[in-house]
Amino acid sequence: TDATNNAGPQTLTMGKGMKRKEDPRFLTGNGNYVDDMRLPGMLYMAIVHSPYPHANIKSIDKEAALAVPGVKAVITGEDLVAASLAWLPTFHGFDKQMVLAVGKVLFQHQEVAAVFAETREAARDAAELVDVDYEPLDPVISPFDSMKDEVILRDDREDRTNHIYHWDSGDRDGTQAALDDSEVVVTERIYAPRCHPAPLEPCGCVAQFDAMGRLHFWVTSQAPHVYRTAISLVTGIPEDKIRVISPDIGGGFGNKVPVYPGYVCAIVGALILKTPVKWIETRTENLTTTGFARDYHMDVTIGAKKDGTVTALKVKTVADHGAFDAAADPSKYPAGMFGVVTGSYQFPVAFAELDAYFTNKAPGGVAYRCSFRVTEASYAIERGMDILAQKLTMDPAELRRKNFVRKDQFPYDSALGFTYDSGDYEGTMDKALNQIGYAELRREQAEKRARGEYMGIGISTFTEVVGAGPSKHFDILGIKMFDSAEIRIHPTGTGIIRTGTKSQGQGHETTWAQIVAEELGLDPQNLLVEEGDTDTAPYGLGTYASRSTPVAGAALALAARRVREKARKVAAHLLEAAPEDIEWVEHRFQVMGVPSRSVTMKEVAFAAYTNPGEGNEPGLEASLYYDPPNMTFPHGAYIAVVDVDAETGEVKVRRFLAIDDCGTVINPMIVEGQVHGGLTEGFAIAFMQEIPYDEQGNNMAPNFMEYLIPTSVEAPVWETGSTVTPSPHHPIGAKGVGESPNVGSPAAFVNAVMDALAPLGVTHIDMPLTREKVWRAIRNAEAA
Ligand code: MCN
């Protein structure tokens, strides 16, 4: 491991692997999660789910459920219609979702009724007794069937089609002309399977109305302020009468961005029963109703010259969004940031288009380790480049080198409209190739091939796009994207920091303190970080899309500089000099060129509250809202080395090296932890995770027996390293990192397996690469 330390000798805490401030709380079992909330008189809610993927609801009989001791109420979709609460808007505005089914169910496990009882057990027992009379209908499971519009799934939409939206970007005609003229063209249908982030803690909430009618809502939310606004818009409760509190969260990974039907039901229950209501999902509810990602069928076509220079890229995608397009997509573009599909390469021309369809599957279009389509895009292009290399019998590293955006070309305008801020793709790949001993591995592979053994080396040199973002590109619920920071320094030189983001395990309590400590010369241990309470934190758009460091981190650095400017005037007063003669050297204020005449920030803080100097405003705090000028573009070079057992189809990942470049690193230990976590998820996606539906519309992976989570026993040993290419527009040069390992790694794994099987002529197998799939591909190739 090389957790590169980018700390200059003069840094106080930046770039240092400070231990996480939040960990003592978690390691001693003192985290405070939603399910830890206990309120007097609190009721428990359970949801009734449809066993059918597509059916008319003929009647719902509540009687038996209401007779269960302790049951207080049962609500159905019809009750919500009466209260005008039947529909939830989705974040992107292209669709809405039914809170509880009315008239018809559209996916297996759809929410049909909610039961409120004195105990969780009574609520769940009663939920099983709600008698729903269904008339089953044929389900439409494939988007390729859905697009024929033979059965229109959504009666509520006026357009009478299963087509949800079309998105495209780039030059359609120019791309086709360039492909027609290309010496070599490769094309492949690549599927990014439907999968689920499966955080350890499922979704849940506690809703309570106080004596003044104010809603206090504790919820597992990655974006508490957005929830507050959404709840206000859906329920009509004035926003000042709502307090959303997101306490400790046991993992989000995108699952906790959308507002789900269960939340609306819990609020309705608390309102009508005039007592607090708790709802905590079961594991199966989590895996069957909330937060699905991917389900993208991508036709990738790359044109090139014979020497490997790429000439054009075309990607045509069919997206399966299930019964409701519940995208938590934080962009006004339905396809999110899929436009980054040109990756790290200089495509002179490109065209990407996407059509999304409804099916009788659970609402899709959310995110897994967020990334909002960057994982799909990165997988498509990194697989595509390897398929091209195979066709040209070129080394995949050399093909990439030939086509990389060069270090001197930044800022680089991609063919699909992004302006990449900075990068060093070739330098990062070379570091990875050297560190793993690429030439030696290729020699070993040649020897093994001669012996009939299947060893593979897979490369992925991806470009990420994070930091949603610049308001000219992104909005949710009509809100332009930005984030916020507030810093209050106390008289004794300690302080409190608040942002509009919300950590779910990313370590913001540590890294936010480090940013401010560095800017102000204070001790990060004495800077308390608070997030997630809408009554105290400044309005922000939350933590997903690896946006916290690029946006809120930037806001924090700039707010700290505002505090420093204010402090400079107080320092000038203390040092009896003019403010313009005061400089900030080695984390102290000093009279220009006179190190002996200096004061610390701690001394200045005390003076700011006791003797700020004539004309200086007392106090030492600042708050700031920040709209960045651009996204940030982290990148990385990942290499997987695998051995494939041709007899069993088993893939052994022998080595995996990840070199990440996320600009200036705040805390290398946290970054490394993020990379380990994301790689483990990438490994799971590549080899074991999928939520498939059978032809009858049954979710085939509704629990952890079917939907597999790798432990440290299954996961490879991760080798990591970094390069540092600062973002030119971020105040401290940092880019995000949270999603990168998930964005970059699936293609490295699959490329490695395909490289191993290349002698058999196998060009592509769709993820997850289970033993059975790999074994079948080998058998079929041998039989051919
Ligand atoms: N960091 C750093 N130096 C950098 C970049 C980041 O030290 N140059 C630190 C940050 O300060 C922060 C952490 O790394 O403490 C992650 O930062 P960032 O990349 O900005 O990502 P976010 O904080 O916005 O987190 C979102 C990202 C996403 S999108 C998902 S999904 C995800 C993830 O992070 N979900 C997670 N990591 C997760 N980690 C845990 N434990 N749990 C989740 O649910």
Side-chain angles (χ1 to χ4, degrees):
T1 291
D2 159 30
T4 300
N5 214 316
N6 68 310
Q10 71 284 18
T11 67
L12 196 66
T13 169
M14 189 66 68
K16 295 185 178 163
M18 182 179 136
K19 283 192 179 165
R20 299 197 338 161
K21 290 173 66 182
E22 46 270 80
D23 280 352
R25 181 166 87 248
F26 297 131
L27 294 174
T28 55
N30 285 301
N32 179 34
Y33 300 90
V34 168
D35 204 12
D36 293 322
M37 289 291 302
R38 305 260 184 280
L39 295 174
M42 190 171 77
L43 300 178
Y44 295 81
M45 183 180 92
I47 292 183
V48 178
H49 298 274
S50 165
Y52 296 103
H54 196 195
N56 287 322
I57 298 176
K58 290 165 73 181
S59 64
I60 302 178
D61 185 348
K62 307 175 181 178
E63 223 164 280
L66 284 168
V68 172
V71 170
K72 299 288 178 194
V74 177
I75 58 169
T76 64
E78 299 290 352
D79 300 326
L80 294 180
V81 172
S84 300
L85 287 171
W87 291 94
L88 265 177
T90 56
F91 279 17
H92 58 36
F94 282 86
D95 193 26
K96 53 188 182 169
Q97 177 170 356
M98 237 180 248
V99 177
L100 294 173
V102 180
K104 203 174 179 187
V105 288
L106 291 164
F107 66 95
Q108 190 190 37
H109 300 285
Q110 187 176 346
E111 300 83 352
V112 176
V115 178
F116 303 88
E118 282 167 2
T119 64
R120 202 177 299 223
E121 293 70 27
R124 288 186 183 163
D125 287 350
E128 289 185 11
L129 296 176
V130 174
D131 190 7
V132 187
D133 189 6
Y134 295 100
E135 178 189 28
L137 301 167
D138 288 338
V140 179
I141 298 306
S142 157
F144 297 97
D145 290 335
S146 163
M147 68 173 66
K148 294 177 199 155
D149 278 341
E150 286 166 1
V151 178
I152 302 298
L153 298 179
R154 291 281 300 273
D155 302 331
D156 58 288
R157 289 172 64 102
E158 279 169 15
D159 51 10
R160 306 301 301 157
T161 165
N162 295 325
H163 184 250
I164 312 171
Y165 59 76
H166 172 84
W167 167 91
D168 63 48
S169 175
D171 177 354
R172 183 194 294 266
D173 296 340
T175 301
Q176 196 51 54
L179 287 173
D180 292 343
D181 287 347
S182 295
E183 292 167 357
V184 184
V185 175
V186 290
T187 189
E188 186 70 56
R189 173 162 294 178
I190 294 173
Y191 178 54
R194 174 175 274 244
C195 50
H196 194 288
L200 200 57
E201 178 203 31
C203 298
C205 67
V206 174
Q208 179 198 34
F209 286 87
D210 68 19
M212 304 301 288
R214 190 162 191 252
L215 170 65
H216 299 256
F217 193 59
W218 291 264
V219 61
T220 51
S221 170
Q222 297 178 224
H225 284 95
V226 179
Y227 270 44
R228 189 184 70 192
T229 304
I231 290 167
S232 175
L233 293 175
V234 172
T235 61
I237 301 169
E239 206 168 343
D240 66 301
K241 302 273 186 301
I242 304 171
R243 178 184 192 179
V244 174
I245 304 155
S246 191
D248 286 328
I249 296 186
F253 305 110
N255 188 202
K256 292 162 182 172
V257 180
V259 177
Y260 292 117
Y263 299 149
V264 179
C265 294
I267 292 169
V268 171
L271 190 65
I272 56 176
L273 296 166
K274 298 189 175 19
T275 194
V277 169
K278 178 189 275 189
W279 171 61
I280 306 289
E281 276 185 330
T282 62
R283 176 59 56 196
T284 291
E285 286 177 307
N286 185 249
L287 285 172
T288 54
T289 60
T290 54
F292 295 89
R294 319 268 151 83
D295 225 342
Y296 265 30
H297 303 261
M298 304 173 285
D299 289 333
V300 181
T301 307
I302 302 178
K305 295 183 190 165
K306 279 189 190 135
D307 71 357
T309 308
V310 294
T311 51
L313 170 71
K314 185 172 81 174
V315 185
K316 187 171 169 42
T317 298
V318 169
D320 179 347
H321 282 329
F324 300 98
D325 183 26
D329 195 328
S331 82
K332 68 182 177 187
Y333 305 116
M337 288 170 268
F338 193 76
V340 75
V341 69
T342 54
S344 307
Y345 314 105
Q346 296 187 51
F347 281 97
V349 64
F351 180 67
E353 66 179 326
L354 185 149
D355 288 279
Y357 297 91
F358 292 120
T359 58
N360 289 123
K361 290 155 78 172
V366 191
Y368 180 170
R369 209 159 180 113
C370 297
S371 99
F372 300 100
R373 322 289 180 254
V374 185
T375 309
E376 293 87 323
S378 173
Y379 179 61
I381 186 61
E382 290 304 313
R383 276 298 297 126
M385 289 303 273
D386 259 45
I387 290 166
L388 177 62
Q390 205 171 341
K391 171 96 173 182
L392 293 167
T393 55
M394 250 180 111
D395 182 288
E398 289 321 304
L399 179 72
R400 285 171 167 81
R401 189 186 307 286
K402 198 169 199 62
N403 292 294
F404 276 146
V405 175
R406 291 189 320 271
K407 199 176 170 181
D408 59 9
Q409 288 178 299
F410 292 95
Y412 176 80
D413 291 326
S414 81
L416 294 182
F418 283 112
T419 302
Y420 295 1
D421 58 348
S422 62
D424 179 7
Y425 302 147
E426 191 167 4
T428 303
M429 184 177 77
D430 280 338
K431 182 167 180 173
L433 295 176
N434 290 334
Q435 197 163 319
I436 203 151
Y438 187 65
E440 182 49 41
L441 286 169
R442 284 285 175 211
R443 270 193 292 278
E444 185 192 338
Q445 183 186 39
E447 285 167 22
K448 285 193 164 171
R449 278 189 179 165
R451 295 201 297 268
E453 292 171 29
Y454 298 103
M455 167 185 163
I457 305 160
I459 299 175
S460 167
T461 48
F462 64 95
T463 290
E464 235 285 57
V465 44
V466 297
S471 62
K472 61 179 188 292
H473 288 134
F474 296 97
D475 57 23
I476 46 177
L477 283 174
I479 304 160
K480 293 292 181 183
M481 295 204 81
F482 59 87
D483 231 286
S484 59
E486 183 192 280
I487 300 169
R488 294 182 181 181
I489 303 301
H490 307 321
T492 51
T494 67
I496 186 158
I497 296 165
R498 294 187 176 110
T499 61
T501 48
K502 173 63 203 171
S503 184
Q504 314 117 49
Q506 292 90 341
H508 293 174
E509 286 174 50
T510 307
T511 44
W512 290 174
Q514 285 183 272
I515 292 175
V516 175
E518 190 67 40
E519 295 290 335
L520 298 181
L522 293 171
D523 182 352
Q525 299 297 346
N526 290 328
L527 294 170
L528 179 74
V529 175
E530 253 189 29
E531 293 179 318
D533 183 343
T534 57
D535 267 13
T536 54
Y539 199 106
L541 300 184
T543 290
Y544 44 82
S546 301
R547 63 187 299 279
S548 303
T549 305
V551 194
L556 264 177
L558 294 175
R561 288 173 197 177
R562 272 195 195 165
V563 169
R564 200 162 74 200
E565 277 321 294
K566 196 171 176 196
R568 180 191 303 278
K569 293 185 187 142
V570 180
H573 162 67
L574 292 178
L575 293 166
E576 295 175 347
E580 49 281 14
D581 290 337
I582 300 295
E583 56 183 352
W584 178 249
V585 183
E586 291 179 13
H587 303 98
R588 297 165 73 90
F589 289 113
Q590 74 174 37
V591 177
M592 214 168 274
V594 193
S596 59
R597 287 184 61 202
S598 70
V599 281
T600 63
M601 186 62 80
K602 195 171 170 180
E603 290 165 318
V604 171
F606 197 73
Y609 291 92
T610 56
N611 174 22
E614 212 180 308
N616 290 335
E617 186 192 358
L620 201 53
E621 58 182 70
S623 65
L624 187 135
Y625 282 72
Y626 183 64
D627 175 9
N630 191 5
M631 314 283 278
T632 69
F633 294 80
H635 69 277
Y638 291 179
I639 304 178
V641 183
V642 303
D643 289 310
V644 181
D645 184 333
E647 292 304 312
T648 63
E650 185 183 5
V651 178
K652 279 217 171 76
V653 179
R654 199 187 336 151
R655 288 183 69 187
F656 193 99
L657 170 67
I659 304 291
D660 273 284
D661 191 324
C662 57
T664 306
V665 172
I666 302 159
N667 186 321
M669 189 194 71
I670 287 183
V671 166
E672 200 187 351
Q674 287 291 306
V675 172
H676 279 217
L679 291 179
T680 306
E681 290 178 328
F683 170 73
I685 291 163
F687 293 110
M688 51 184 79
Q689 287 183 342
E690 183 179 13
I691 306 256
Y693 282 72
D694 70 9
E695 282 177 8
Q696 285 78 45
N698 296 304
N699 177 323
M700 301 300 282
N703 55 52
F704 281 165
M705 295 291 285
E706 316 295 335
Y707 194 72
L708 303 180
I709 306 287
T711 67
S712 55
V713 176
E714 290 83 24
V717 172
W718 307 117
E719 300 170 52
T720 60
S722 63
T723 53
V724 175
T725 314
S727 169
H729 62 79
H730 189 284
I732 59 168
K735 303 178 180 185
V737 75
E739 299 157 342
S740 291
N742 197 317
V743 164
S745 64
F749 290 117
V750 178
N751 286 346
V753 177
M754 294 310 123
D755 183 52
L757 303 184
L760 291 165
V762 179
T763 49
H764 182 69
I765 309 175
D766 277 325
M767 296 187 292
L769 301 186
T770 58
R771 282 179 205 183
E772 183 184 337
K773 273 200 212 168
V774 174
W775 181 84
R776 280 188 196 287
I778 294 170
R779 285 297 94 90
N780 290 342
E782 283 172 348

